[in-house]
């Protein structure tokens, strides 16, 4: 396993931020199982979790105005570092005069990680919350996501619903386009029930 201090990396028109390798899941499809990077990036396994100053230094070297979105998404679950993410979000909004669009890609288990509801803080700070649904039924979700929390499926749904209720950010659930038809149908029904959009992402091997 190669390690580096790749804090930000470009994916298409967006800039992704990688600042933790911690995650309570062990998804069968996780890109961390296949490689040391993503989309041609340098290794995303971190030598250490970057400090707030290290993250700011890294971002200060970028022309942030050229990116469509800055996305909290790396080789780990961003809400593991909720405080750092909120601080960086506020700083990015401040230095861009509110123009930067901020998105979080999350497994939706931050409430379980922190033992409290975090939807309000996140929806105040970010523009888009993208939550990995992965499957439409509990059995399948637990089989592919393999979370350390037995009540993960229910907690992910509550988190989604809490985010929707704030009315403050765009909330979407995501699945990949290769899941079986019955899982796709169940995912659509669940997203509708929770009041979130369902985004079907292309599966990249
Ligand atoms: S939640 Fe994301 S980082 Fe964690 S194991 Fe699943 S795909 Fe990998």
């Amino acid at each position: 396993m190669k390690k580096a201090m790749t804090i930000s990396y470009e994916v298409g028109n967006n800039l992704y931020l990688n600042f933790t390798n911690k995650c309570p899941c062990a998804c069968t499809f996780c890109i961390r199982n296949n490689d040391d990077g993503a989309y041609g990036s340098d290794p995303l396994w971190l030598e250490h979790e970057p400090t707030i100053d290290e993250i700011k230094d890294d971002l200060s070297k970028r022309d942030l105005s050229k990116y469509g979105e800055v996305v909290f998404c790396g080789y780990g679950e961003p809400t593991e570092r909720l405080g750092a993410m909120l601080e960086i979000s506020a700083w990015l909004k401040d230095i861009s005069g509110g123009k930067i669009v901020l998105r979080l890609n999350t497994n939706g288990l931050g409430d379980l990680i922190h033992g409290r509801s975090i939807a309000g803080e996140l929806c105040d700070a970010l523009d888009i919350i993208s939550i990995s649904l992965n499957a439409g039924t509990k059995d399948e979700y637990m089989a592919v996501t393999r979370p350390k929390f037995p009540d993960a499926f229910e907690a992910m749904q509550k988190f989604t619903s809490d985010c929707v209720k704030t009315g403050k950010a765009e909330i979407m659930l995501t699945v990949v386009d290769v899941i079986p038809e019955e899982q796709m149908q169940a995912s659509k029904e669940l997203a509708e029930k929770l009041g979130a959009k369902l985004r079907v992402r292309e599966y990249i091997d």
Side-chain angles (χ1 to χ4, degrees), residues 55-68:
I55 300 170
K56 286 182 180 174
D57 280 353
D58 182 282
L59 291 173
S60 296
K61 292 176 196 141
R62 301 272 188 183
D63 173 8
L64 295 171
S65 67
K66 72 178 195 179
Y67 300 111

Side-chain angles (χ1 to χ4, degrees), residues 146-160:
R146 299 187 296 187
K148 71 178 187 188
F149 304 112
D151 52 346
F153 190 59
E154 294 79 8
M156 176 272 300
Q157 291 180 62
K158 180 181 181 300
F159 171 74
T160 303

Side-chain angles (χ1 to χ4, degrees), residues 135-148:
T137 62
K138 177 163 183 170
D139 285 353
E140 186 65 8
Y141 175 88
M142 296 303 275
V144 297
T145 308
R146 299 187 296 187
K148 71 178 187 188

Side-chain angles (χ1 to χ4, degrees), residues 23-27 29-32 74-77 107 145:
C23 182
C25 300
C27 299
F29 54 82
C30 183
I31 52 171
R32 305 188 304 178
Y75 254 26
E77 166 52 36
N107 57 28
T145 308

